[in-house]
Amino acid sequence: MVIAATHMIAAAGDKSSDLDVASIIGYIVVGLIVGVLARFLVPGRDPMGWIGTIVLGIVGALIGGWAAGAIFNDTAGVDWIASIVAAVVLVLLWRAVTGDRGNTIRS
């Protein structure tokens, strides 16, 4: 499934600027995978829902994929690692910005 999603994204990148439904679904699936992996790698509880995780994963994948392409000529496999690292950094930034808001007790 992951390989199929990456092939959809790679194929979508070969087109001009057209985004079809399969490309959007591919971005969401890859974003979900990268976001979930990043949240599992950073210990602790986050007050972020599924949509936040997907958005964080998509942004992390975009930043990581761009960084891998800027550094390496062949990004096979490196783009996934860079995407997850970028998403982990985003999780840490999210925690630094939001602080302890998700763990407050309300009466």
Side-chain angles (χ1 to χ4, degrees), residues 69-94:
I71 296 170
F72 300 103
N73 290 331
D74 183 23
T75 61
V78 176
D79 51 354
W80 277 95
I81 296 168
S83 298
I84 294 168
V85 169
V88 165
V89 170
L90 290 174
V91 168
L92 294 173
L93 284 173
W94 176 261

Side-chain angles (χ1 to χ4, degrees), residues 11-80:
D14 292 338
K15 297 177 185 174
S16 56
S17 63
D18 298 333
L19 277 179
D20 56 350
V21 175
S23 298
I24 294 171
I25 291 172
Y27 282 120
I28 292 171
V29 169
V30 170
L32 177 64
I33 293 168
V34 169
V36 167
L37 286 173
R39 286 187 60 191
F40 280 142
L41 290 173
V42 179
R45 184 169 162 83
D46 285 316
M48 187 184 321
W50 284 102
I51 294 178
T53 300
I54 292 171
V55 170
L56 181 133
I58 291 171
V59 172
L62 289 173
I63 293 171
W66 172 81
I71 296 170
F72 300 103
N73 290 331
D74 183 23
T75 61
V78 176
D79 51 354
W80 277 95

